[in-house]
Amino acid sequence: MRLDVITIFPDYLAPLRLSLIGRAVQDGLVDLRVHDLRMWTTDRHRTVDDTPYGGGPGMLMRPEPWGAAFDDVLGPGDAGTADPPARVVVPTPGGRPFTQAMAAELATEPWLVFACARYEGLDQRVLDEAAGRASLDEVSLGDYVVNGGEVAVLVIVEAVARLFPGVIGNAGSLVEESHADGLLEGPGWTKPSMWRGHAVPDVLLSGDHARIARWRRDQALRRTAARRPDLVARLEPDRLDRQDRSLLAELGWVVDPGGTLSRLADAPPPVAD
Ligand code: 6SD
């Protein structure tokens, strides 16, 4: 997979060369290319920003350096090149929410190009230009504002690249983790079995794998109901077994006539877990 990142702070992306993703870059599984947007400026001050038309506070990113950067990074993008089609990802608080499903989808792409905004964001024509020559995704990490796209790119690349075959040593951990099946993962314990008076739950020491799997599923359902009722409401009832349904009913969740899970108005309040 090829990953290009265009930013005015290339050093910000240094963590992508550490740990598991760093190993994948070193091993050539991920072809990571970080570009300094100022390379494509032409003035003495290497200017990338200017005041917004119509007035208002702050500065926007000028289109010219971005246009030149896209010309060089994306190339002509026609049938005359051997390059696969690129997908351009622009982090912005106004984008579509980034989810595990989006990470899984992006992980199937051969080439992602990330454009990191700063200041008050990009001139709209930068986005229009990108959309005209590649498929464009404006993506939000969540409903809060940070100072630029770089930190979002760190998150997105880590979430995407770890799904790439060979990046994570233990592929089984991808199947059982939070969000893999629409549920939060339950708590975990390691040795010692007793620590500062806190014991590991007996069931985990029982060696009864079916009972352990069921108990873990119950823990995941309880935690999800307590912390993320929005995720419970999105579960597909057809993918729940009898024990799932009975536990959820205990927590006040029933399958309504429309076939979706909803919480009974008189259900007991969710309990913290
Ligand atoms: C100015 C940016 C780029 C500013 C952002 C994205 C999310 N989810 N919060 N904040 C953001 C991205 C903010 O460039």
Side-chain angles (χ1 to χ4, degrees):
M1 166 181 256
R2 176 173 164 188
L3 301 176
D4 289 85
V5 184
I6 308 170
T7 169
I8 59 169
F9 294 121
D11 292 349
Y12 210 120
L13 284 304
L16 295 179
R17 304 196 183 271
L18 300 174
S19 189
L20 287 177
I21 310 300
R23 165 92 50 89
V25 171
Q26 281 270 309
D27 294 350
L29 282 170
V30 173
D31 174 9
L32 175 67
R33 307 183 193 184
V34 179
H35 311 272
D36 185 346
L37 179 71
R38 292 193 202 274
M39 293 236 315
W40 289 286
T41 54
T42 50
D43 64 310
R44 206 156 56 85
H45 299 293
R46 312 220 293 166
T47 311
V48 294
D49 62 324
D50 212 329
T51 53
Y53 278 116
M59 306 288 267
L60 289 168
M61 297 195 99
R62 294 172 59 92
E64 303 95 321
W66 281 105
F70 289 149
D71 290 345
D72 283 351
V73 172
L74 293 172
D78 58 23
T81 70
D83 290 334
R87 197 145 158 189
V88 175
V89 179
V90 181
T92 161
R96 284 193 298 140
F98 183 64
T99 60
Q100 188 63 30
M102 200 186 290
E105 190 199 323
L106 293 178
T108 68
E109 297 285 344
W111 186 14
L112 303 176
V113 176
F114 293 92
C116 299
R118 279 274 152 178
Y119 309 99
E120 299 303 313
L122 305 171
D123 182 300
Q124 178 59 35
R125 293 168 293 183
V126 175
L127 298 163
D128 299 342
E129 168 79 5
R133 44 199 298 183
S135 100
L136 171 69
D137 291 283
E138 292 181 66
V139 172
S140 167
L141 279 198
D143 294 338
Y144 46 84
V145 178
V146 296
N147 286 333
E150 290 80 6
V151 70
V153 170
L154 292 177
V155 171
I156 295 167
V157 168
E158 184 148 323
V160 169
R162 66 194 290 281
L163 301 179
F164 213 60
V167 172
I168 285 217
N170 179 5
S173 55
L174 294 178
V175 179
E176 300 208 352
E177 68 194 359
S178 283
H179 301 294
D181 59 359
L183 294 176
L184 303 183
E185 193 180 9
W189 290 262
T190 184
K191 289 178 259 309
S193 63
M194 180 65 77
W195 177 74
R196 296 192 174 185
H198 303 279
V200 170
D202 281 339
V203 58
L204 298 178
L205 309 176
S206 69
D208 181 342
H209 298 297
R211 207 172 129 236
I212 292 170
R214 183 64 254 175
W215 185 84
R216 284 184 166 151
R217 174 102 180 148
D218 291 353
Q219 293 281 310
L221 287 162
R222 285 184 187 281
R223 173 169 283 186
T224 308
R227 299 183 180 181
R228 294 294 304 277
D230 58 312
L231 294 183
V232 176
R234 276 190 263 146
L235 291 173
E236 288 176 44
D238 290 351
R239 301 188 55 193
L240 300 173
D241 65 21
R242 286 169 65 92
Q243 171 64 25
D244 293 339
R245 286 160 185 262
S246 124
L247 175 62
L248 286 170
E250 195 185 298
L251 301 172
W253 289 90
V254 290
V255 180
D256 66 24
T260 61
L261 278 161
S262 56
R263 197 150 188 284
L264 293 173
D266 59 354
V271 275
D273 65 336

